[in-house]
């Protein structure tokens, strides 16, 4: 899941980015609405965590443009304006969820994950292929009933591959959706993570490399 955090209080913005990355999400952070629109024009995001009162382009207008031009991106409004009237207005703009400040970080993570699983992506509650089963809400992966201890990035890669339902996923696509703007496009991070994931999944191999194509779960 790739997330865009739009928050003008830089300390909070960086803390959100760091915390969400530790949860295995790919996160880009911007400090104003204009930069948010620039990022949205070139990157497909699953969820935008949007402070309503941001400079250059107000959060309300950013929300309107996301709804109009990026319908696959879910919007979580995160703002100090927490009255019922404020929440209703935010939802009327097209926001999918609304979380007033101050907030509990664990609740924020749960809401972001829930938005990423909303219909539109059309994903089932459990993702599976052969003996491998992944529960996105409980953050649990098993193979043949055996629970596996995956790092957040390994979990995110496996989740993305399982969601592709047998489609071959190029390394570049994994880098774009599972990593974030800080990732070096020439890095070996994808290969390294795939190698570690294969080791933890065990034999026979569950993640296959398709020469010249990428990776997929299941099949020869």
């Amino acid at each position: 899941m790739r997330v865009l955090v739009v928050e003008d209080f830089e300390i909070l913005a960086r803390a959100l980015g760091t915390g969400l990355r530790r949860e295995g999400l790919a996160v880009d952070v911007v400090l104003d609405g204009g930069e948010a629109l620039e990022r949205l024009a070139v990157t497909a995001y699953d969820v935008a965590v949007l402070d309503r009162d941001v400079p250059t382009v107000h959060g309300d207008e950013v929300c309107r443009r996301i709804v109009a031009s990026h319908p696959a991106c879910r919007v979580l409004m995160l703002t100090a304006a927490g009255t019922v009237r404020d929440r209703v207005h935010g939802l009327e703009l097209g926001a999918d969820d609304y979380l007033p400040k101050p907030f509990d970080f664990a609740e924020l993570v749960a809401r972001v994950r829930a938005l990423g699983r909303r219909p539109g992506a059309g994903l089932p509650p459990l993702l599976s292929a052969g003996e491998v089963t992944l529960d996105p809400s409980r953050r649990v992966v098993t193979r043949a009933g055996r629970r596996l201890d995956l790092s957040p990035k390994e979990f995110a890669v496996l989740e993305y591959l399982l969601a592709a339902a047998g489609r071959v996923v190029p390394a570049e696509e994994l880098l774009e959706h599972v990593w974030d703007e800080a990732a070096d496009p020439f890095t070996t991070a994808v290969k390294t993570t795939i190698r570690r994931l294969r080791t933890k999944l065990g034999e026979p191999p569950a993640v296959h490399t398709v020469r010249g194509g990428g990776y997929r779960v299941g099949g020869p």
Side-chain angles (χ1 to χ4, degrees):
M1 189 187 305
R2 189 152 185 178
V3 179
L4 177 65
V5 172
V6 189
E7 166 61 59
D8 65 328
F9 183 37
E10 186 170 1
I11 294 175
L12 176 58
R14 302 303 175 194
L16 288 173
T18 299
L20 290 170
R21 290 186 187 106
R22 287 174 179 167
E23 294 293 325
L25 305 178
V27 185
D28 297 337
V29 177
V30 297
L31 304 178
D32 65 74
E35 189 177 358
L37 294 175
E38 292 176 3
R39 296 297 184 90
L40 286 158
V42 297
T43 302
Y45 291 99
D46 300 292
V47 178
V49 177
L50 174 63
D51 181 30
R52 192 169 179 185
D53 190 18
V54 289
T56 69
V57 179
H58 194 272
D60 288 359
E61 180 60 23
V62 175
C63 183
R64 290 190 189 95
R65 296 197 196 181
I66 291 175
V67 172
S69 303
H70 310 280
C73 180
R74 307 300 184 182
V75 178
L76 170 59
M77 276 198 167
L78 186 66
T79 173
T83 67
V84 172
R85 178 177 295 180
D86 290 323
R87 292 197 295 271
V88 169
H89 182 62
L91 295 172
E92 286 177 343
L93 290 169
D96 298 278
D97 200 357
Y98 197 107
L99 185 62
K101 300 175 183 175
F103 59 90
D104 184 271
F105 182 72
E107 181 181 3
L108 171 68
V109 173
R111 288 177 181 243
V112 168
R113 292 198 189 284
L115 288 176
R117 296 193 300 271
R118 284 248 178 120
L123 295 180
L126 294 178
L127 300 172
S128 62
E131 297 178 325
V132 179
T133 300
L134 182 147
D135 185 334
S137 61
R138 294 173 55 224
R139 310 296 293 167
V140 171
V141 175
T142 61
R143 182 168 190 180
R146 179 175 61 91
R147 185 163 176 167
L148 306 178
D149 182 18
L150 303 186
S151 72
K153 195 61 69 179
E154 291 161 356
F155 186 98
V157 168
L158 181 60
E159 182 178 17
Y160 196 90
L161 291 175
L162 286 170
R167 176 176 65 85
V168 176
V169 179
E172 294 81 5
E173 184 176 336
L174 283 172
L175 193 64
E176 178 181 356
H177 288 273
V178 180
W179 279 262
D180 52 40
E181 62 182 348
D184 181 346
F186 301 104
T187 185
T188 61
V190 173
K191 288 183 178 180
T192 300
T193 303
I194 290 287
R195 184 173 65 249
R196 292 174 178 167
L197 181 58
R198 282 181 176 140
T199 298
K200 292 183 179 181
L201 288 170
E203 296 292 336
V207 178
H208 301 275
T209 300
V210 179
R211 186 175 297 276
Y215 306 96
R216 71 180 174 198
V217 176

